Amino acid sequence: MGVSTSCGEKGIAVVTVDFPPVNALPVAGWFALADAVRAAGRDPEVRCVVLTAEGRGFNAGVDIKEIQADDGHATLLGANSGCAEAFAAVYECEVPVVAAVQGFCLGGGIGLVGNADAIVASEDAVFGLPELDRGALGAATHLARLVPQHLMRALYYTSRTATAAELHAHGSVWRVVPRGELRAAALTLAREIAAKDGRLLRLAKAALNGIDPVDVRRSYRFEQGFTFEAGLSGVGDRVRAGFGKEGA
């Protein structure tokens, strides 16, 4: 349980998230993920990072129950800071990051894959931001990197999800494969990337980030300001109070 890193193949580091039952990460988990991705990218022997997860789904976002258990705002602030660091770690990783997504990819999961360099997904993968149903805001910055603007807005306002096949049609998912073939497909892509010159790959990553039309770190932090506002106004707590209850 937690975040682990393995280097089973030359030039490839696999960072795996495992927080049963649904990979809803606690505050410490987001920071641990950020540290693992940054460390993998700094390793001079690594040329590509594969971000994967154990269990039914890739990521269910933040641990809402951890936030609900806090009478103050410390956990909410911690979750927001942790998410910002994890998303930035993926985006700023010195080498390309391939996300291997199975099952649900929700909330914070969108922040991770939206900042990845490539996505391989299983046929059962779904992507979405249920933030409005959870008393929060954020990660529209990253969903906008996966789907066109108007679809992003419709998905955001409705809390609906898009399938891996739909994202593949939009060009944001590299391959869609049966679930049992997900890891192999992600490693195949990572292997092809890792075959390139390591120094040149790092320069390429820096160059592509440098020409990105959106400053993703700044954009996401702007969004988070409205999450703070929702929390301070009480509407966030009111909506979250219904989370997990029948009919909510």
Side-chain angles (χ1 to χ4, degrees):
M1 178 175 169
V3 179
S4 60
T5 303
S6 60
C7 298
E9 294 192 30
K10 182 178 180 181
I12 301 173
V14 179
V15 175
T16 303
V17 176
D18 183 15
F19 285 89
V22 295
N23 282 325
L25 273 60
V27 171
W30 290 107
F31 284 105
L33 177 54
D35 289 344
V37 172
R38 291 191 187 281
R42 285 194 299 266
D43 186 337
E45 300 300 317
V46 172
R47 298 182 181 184
C48 186
V49 173
V50 174
L51 179 59
T52 187
E54 295 288 347
R56 293 188 286 124
F58 176 77
N59 190 286
V62 303
D63 187 344
I64 297 294
K65 293 181 179 179
E66 183 184 38
I67 295 174
Q68 289 175 325
D70 186 354
D71 293 333
H73 297 292
T75 303
L76 175 60
L77 292 170
N80 282 329
S81 294
C83 284
E85 284 306 304
F87 301 168
V90 172
Y91 185 78
E92 296 165 0
C93 183
E94 295 178 27
V95 298
V97 176
V98 174
V101 181
Q102 84 278 9
F104 44 81
C105 179
L106 306 172
I110 295 294
L112 297 173
V113 303
N115 272 353
D117 294 275
I119 305 167
V120 177
S122 61
E123 293 171 336
D124 67 344
V126 293
F127 302 77
L129 290 176
E131 311 306 275
L132 295 186
D133 290 339
R134 303 294 183 260
L137 299 167
T141 293
H142 312 93
L143 185 59
R145 297 166 70 82
L146 303 176
V147 298
Q149 179 72 206
H150 285 82
L151 178 55
M152 179 276 288
R153 287 172 178 255
L155 291 173
Y156 196 89
Y157 295 144
T158 62
S159 297
R160 292 194 182 192
T161 58
T163 66
E166 289 172 325
L167 264 61
H168 182 263
H170 289 297
S172 51
V173 166
W174 175 257
R175 284 192 63 195
V176 180
V177 299
R179 185 157 182 158
E181 300 174 15
L182 178 61
R183 183 180 178 88
L187 287 173
T188 295
L189 176 57
R191 203 176 292 123
E192 184 175 351
I193 293 171
K196 308 300 183 184
D197 180 85
R199 176 59 180 161
L200 200 57
L201 274 174
R202 292 168 187 271
L203 290 174
K205 178 67 182 276
L208 291 179
N209 282 6
I211 63 171
D212 206 319
V214 175
D215 183 333
V216 292
R217 182 187 274 266
R218 185 178 66 183
S219 180
Y220 177 59
R221 292 300 277 173
F222 176 82
E223 287 188 76
Q224 285 190 315
F226 291 94
T227 298
F228 299 154
E229 183 174 329
L232 291 174
S233 69
V235 65
D237 289 337
R238 177 170 56 79
V239 173
R240 272 192 300 274
F243 175 73
K245 296 182 179 179
E246 187 176 351

